Amino acid sequence: QPRPVQAIGFAPGDCLPTQLGDLSVIATPGHSADHVSFLLAERGWLFGGDVFVHPYIKYLRWEENPYQTLKSFYRLLTYHLATLFCGHAGIVTDAKSALKRKITYLETLRDNSLSLHQQGWSVARISNHLLGREGLLTYISRNDLSKQNFIHAWLATSTVSHP
C-alpha cells in the first residue's frame, strides 16, 4: 500500500501562474478527499489528475466516494471546459460532453444499485449483475480496488447526501 502524500504549496481557490496563463486550483474530491484539478481557463484546459479516470469505470478503491465525484463533476460543468487532460484516459476532447456522459453512467449505476438493494439483493449479486464478476485487479490489489466497493459506496447513503 502506498503511503499518503501531503501536497503543499496550493489549495482550492489558489491561482498558479504559468507561462501559458494562470491555473486555477479546483477542489474535485471523490477519488480522494483532497483531490484537486487545475484549470487553464483561457484555453478551457482541465488538468484533472484522477478525477475522470475512464468513461465507464467498474472498479472503485474502498476509500473513494462516488457521491463526491458526482458533485465534483457538476462543479466542473460550471466552467468553460474544452479539453481534459486525464492521468488515466489521456486527452479527452469535448470535456463537458464526456463529463455529462459519465454523470449519466454514474447516476444510472447508483439508481440501479439502490433499487436492487431495496429489492433485497446482496452486494455481491448487485455487483455481478451490474458490473460483472470481479477481475484480476481485485485480487492483485487485495480487494482495495473492486466492483463490490463501488456498490458498497452507493449504498452508504446514510452518511452521504446525493448531488
Side-chain angles (χ1 to χ4, degrees):
Q1 291 291 337
R3 285 181 234 155
V5 175
Q6 181 65 36
I8 56 172
F10 55 83
D14 285 354
C15 219
L16 306 173
T18 72
Q19 291 179 349
L20 296 174
D22 291 341
L23 287 175
S24 300
V25 182
I26 303 169
T28 51
H31 183 72
S32 65
D34 59 351
H35 192 278
V36 295
S37 297
F38 301 91
L39 176 66
L40 184 61
E42 299 84 38
R43 298 183 184 216
W45 290 357
L46 181 71
F47 300 91
D50 289 336
V51 74
F52 186 76
V53 180
H54 185 273
Y56 305 105
I57 58 173
K58 293 186 175 192
Y59 293 87
L60 210 66
R61 289 178 16 262
W62 67 270
E63 63 189 310
E64 291 184 67
N65 185 326
Y67 289 102
Q68 286 183 341
T69 298
L70 279 171
K71 286 181 181 182
S72 293
F73 287 168
Y74 279 112
R75 181 180 308 111
L76 289 173
L77 289 178
T78 67
Y79 296 95
H80 164 64
L81 300 178
T83 304
L84 166 64
F85 298 92
C86 176
H88 294 272
I91 299 172
V92 179
T93 57
D94 197 4
K96 276 199 171 187
S97 293
L99 287 172
K100 288 176 184 177
R101 283 190 303 275
K102 185 151 182 184
I103 288 169
T104 299
Y105 168 74
L106 290 174
E107 288 178 340
T108 300
L109 182 60
R110 176 200 64 204
D111 294 347
N112 289 338
S113 298
L114 295 173
S115 175
L116 292 171
H117 180 67
Q118 289 172 349
Q119 295 174 42
W121 286 37
S122 70
V123 169
R125 186 175 177 202
I126 295 168
S127 176
N128 286 340
H129 179 72
L130 297 177
L131 300 171
R133 296 179 60 189
E134 294 290 350
L136 187 59
L137 283 174
T138 302
Y139 303 104
I140 291 172
S141 70
R142 296 182 184 170
N143 293 320
D144 182 57
L145 190 66
S146 79
K147 295 175 181 182
Q148 287 190 34
N149 286 345
F150 218 152
I151 305 307
H152 278 292
W154 287 130
L155 300 181
T157 58
S158 61
T159 59
V160 183
S161 62
H162 295 275

